[in-house]
Amino acid sequence: MSALPAKPGQRHSVSDWSSNNHQLSAVAQYVRHISSSVRQEGRSLRNETNCTTAWDEGDTSRRLSDRIWDVSRWKETLEGCAQKLDEEMEALTLSKAQTEQALAATAVPLEVSAECLSLRDGRRGLELVTDPVDEELKKEAELIERVQRTLQQHIDKAFEQLCILQEARHQLTADLQNKMETLDIDMLCLSLTNESPQISLKTNPTRIPSGSTTPEEWLQFSRFNVARAQEAMQVSQQMREDTSLSRAQLQNELDAQHRAIAFALRKRKHHEAQAHDELQWQLRNTEAEISELDSDIQRLDADLQAKMDSLKLAHTRLENRTGRPGMDLCRDEVQLGLVGEVQQLEASVTALRQKLSEAQHALQKLSLHHARMSEDLSRKQEALFLEQRTLNTRARLAPAPPGDKNPVPLVPLMNSSGRRNLRLLTQ
């Protein structure tokens, strides 16, 4: 019987088989040990990362809450400061408008002062004097011009301060807008969770954006904006007080000058009226004297003519008696009487002619002086008329009665803000 054929392939011994089984068991045990270690470490890592993540998320949420509180506090501070700034801007604008109205109100007094000076320049002759009224009117014109310059300076300063306040308000508005947007962003971030649909991975989220600032710079910026606004408001408040005080002082000066001119005008008109009445009285007396003197001149002339007739009679008698013949041509008492009569008549005629000449000369002087007084009276009447017109012109500055419902006249005046038609302030 023949042997069975052997299968091809490598044959191993029992020892090799046992070694292989032992090795497989050892490796399996080692691998399980390694796997167990990895599992334990994974569990530990999961617990640790979960705790860290939860802590970090909680810490981030807390920091977001703190940041939101800080930003909200500064937002409220900025809003409060902005509100006060708006109120101050409104107050300064009102003060500026009142100053502009006060400036516009000086246009009529200056016009009235110039018109009064022009009226009084219409006086003629010796009535055109530089009296206290002229001095007070010129003083008023200079005062009004100084008031206008002062008020315009206050208006210009208020305009410049308003620009500063507006710039500070712009900075506050920009800072406030940034903080509102920051609050919206931070509150959105605080509301996000792991289940929020808006979350996703971003490219390089840990980068530092350009223009980033430090917390100190952020705080300093807001503090600077608030401090700048507060300083501008303090300057504006002081400016309003100064402007109000200046307006009151200037108005008091104008009122005092107005009263001084009114007193000087009344006093001057009273003196002119006295001089006018005195001159009228002198004219009446002079006219009466001229009338009496003219009557006396007529009587003197009549007496002179009568004396001339008597003289002619005496001359004729003497001349006729020279024709007596012979011894009858003697110087008898008749002849002596006629000679004495002629001498007396000639002396009377000479005296009458001299007195008549003196009377005519006195009448001429009286007539000339009467004409001069009449002309001066005419000038005084014109001066009184001009003084009355001046008083009537000054009456335009009188305060309106309490019940007057008429609208206040408008004065076209351009101001720094470009507004026109400012209403005049009532006194």
Side-chain angles (χ1 to χ4, degrees):
M1 190 174 157
S2 61
L4 293 175
K7 289 184 179 181
Q10 184 180 2
R11 298 278 182 166
H12 298 283
S13 64
V14 174
S15 60
D16 290 336
W17 175 79
S18 299
S19 297
N20 181 58
N21 291 335
H22 179 72
Q23 182 182 6
L24 288 175
S25 298
V27 171
Q29 185 177 2
Y30 175 75
V31 172
R32 288 196 304 272
H33 176 72
I34 295 299
S35 175
S36 178
S37 297
V38 170
R39 285 189 298 103
Q40 293 299 326
E41 290 176 358
R43 292 174 181 177
S44 177
L45 180 61
R46 282 192 303 109
N47 292 332
E48 182 180 354
T49 54
N50 288 337
C51 291
T52 302
T53 301
W55 174 264
D56 290 341
E57 288 180 358
D59 185 62
T60 300
S61 297
R62 180 187 59 78
R63 292 183 181 184
L64 277 173
S65 298
D66 293 343
R67 182 61 177 173
I68 289 173
W69 185 85
D70 289 339
V71 175
S72 298
R73 183 174 61 86
W74 273 107
K75 174 179 171 291
E76 294 173 358
T77 301
L78 291 173
E79 286 176 342
C81 186
Q83 183 179 359
K84 292 180 180 178
L85 191 60
D86 290 339
E87 293 173 356
E88 182 58 33
M89 289 175 63
E90 183 179 354
L92 184 58
T93 301
L94 177 60
S95 176
K96 178 173 170 289
Q98 291 173 346
T99 307
E100 289 170 347
Q101 290 177 347
L103 176 60
T106 61
V108 171
L110 184 60
E111 178 184 349
V112 168
S113 181
E115 185 176 348
C116 290
L117 285 171
S118 178
L119 283 174
R120 301 189 87 250
D121 286 341
R123 296 171 297 172
R124 297 183 297 120
L126 290 177
E127 297 302 315
L128 185 59
V129 297
T130 304
D131 51 12
V133 178
D134 275 341
E135 296 175 357
E136 294 296 337
L137 285 172
K138 292 177 181 178
K139 188 185 298 184
E140 182 185 48
E142 295 174 356
L143 174 61
I144 293 175
E145 291 176 352
R146 179 171 63 85
V147 168
Q148 289 179 340
R149 289 193 301 270
T150 303
L151 292 177
Q152 187 61 52
Q153 290 174 358
H154 285 298
I155 292 173
D156 294 339
K157 289 180 180 179
F159 180 76
E160 294 174 359
Q161 188 61 30
L162 276 174
C163 293
I164 294 175
L165 290 173
Q166 289 173 353
E167 178 64 22
R169 183 64 172 88
H170 176 72
Q171 292 294 333
L172 286 177
T173 302
D175 195 6
L176 187 59
Q177 183 66 30
N178 291 340
K179 284 177 171 46
M180 292 174 66
E181 293 178 4
T182 299
L183 280 174
D184 291 340
I185 293 173
D186 285 347
M187 292 180 71
L188 175 61
C189 292
L190 183 61
S191 66
L192 291 176
T193 63
N194 293 335
E195 289 78 21
S196 299
Q198 301 95 331
I199 63 174
S200 63
L201 294 178
K202 309 297 181 182
T203 303
N204 193 17
T206 59
R207 69 186 184 279
I208 299 177
S210 60
S212 297
T213 60
T214 64
E216 291 76 14
E217 292 174 341
W218 172 83
L219 184 60
Q220 184 64 30
F221 179 74
S222 295
R223 284 178 176 174
F224 173 77
N225 288 335
V226 172
R228 178 185 182 184
Q230 290 176 346
E231 181 181 359
M233 285 189 289
Q234 289 178 356
V235 173
S236 177
Q237 290 172 359
Q238 185 63 43
M239 184 177 296
R240 286 192 293 108
E241 293 176 1
D242 294 342
T243 302
S244 178
L245 178 61
S246 180
R247 284 202 311 267
Q249 291 177 343
L250 293 174
Q251 187 60 50
N252 289 337
E253 292 182 22
L254 289 174
D255 292 342
Q257 187 61 31
H258 179 73
R259 290 191 294 270
I261 292 176
F263 173 76
L265 267 173
R266 291 194 299 270
K267 184 177 180 181
R268 180 61 183 171
K269 184 181 178 183
H270 175 70
H271 289 168
E272 288 179 352
Q274 282 185 327
H276 176 270
D277 295 342
E278 172 66 21
L279 192 58
Q280 278 188 328
W281 183 80
Q282 293 292 347
L283 271 173
R284 288 194 297 268
N285 291 341
T286 300
E287 289 171 354
E289 182 63 27
I290 288 174
S291 178
E292 292 183 7
L293 184 58
D294 186 64
S295 298
D296 287 349
I297 287 175
Q298 291 177 5
R299 286 192 290 269
L300 281 173
D301 186 64
D303 288 348
L304 179 61
Q305 292 300 326
K307 295 297 184 294
M308 290 298 297
D309 291 342
S310 297
L311 184 60
K312 289 177 184 179
L313 175 61
H315 280 190
T316 301
R317 285 175 176 177
L318 283 173
E319 185 64 28
N320 289 338
R321 296 187 85 244
T322 59
R324 291 175 295 169
M327 292 300 293
D328 287 321
L329 185 62
C330 68
R331 297 182 66 190
D332 52 11
E333 292 182 359
V334 176
Q335 183 73 19
L336 294 176
L338 284 172
V339 170
E341 183 182 2
V342 168
Q343 291 176 347
Q344 182 63 37
L345 286 171
E346 288 179 348
S348 296
V349 168
T350 300
L352 286 172
R353 283 177 174 173
Q354 182 178 358
K355 188 56 65 179
L356 180 62
S357 177
E358 292 177 359
Q360 289 174 342
H361 181 68
L363 179 62
Q364 183 180 8
K365 289 180 67 176
L366 282 173
S367 299
L368 288 176
H369 192 64
H370 179 273
R372 181 181 175 185
M373 287 192 298
S374 297
E375 184 180 0
D376 193 66
L377 182 63
S378 175
R379 288 196 292 264
K380 281 181 168 52
Q381 290 174 343
E382 290 179 0
L384 278 172
F385 175 72
L386 291 175
E387 296 295 358
Q388 186 59 46
R389 285 189 60 187
T390 301
L391 284 171
N392 295 338
T393 302
R394 299 288 300 179
R396 293 165 55 189
L397 302 179
D404 189 7
K405 300 298 183 180
N406 295 328
V408 182
L410 298 178
V411 176
L413 180 68
M414 178 67 72
N415 54 70
S416 58
S417 62
R419 294 199 299 271
R420 290 180 179 270
N421 296 337
L422 297 177
R423 292 190 178 275
L424 297 178
L425 291 178
T426 57
Q427 301 292 330

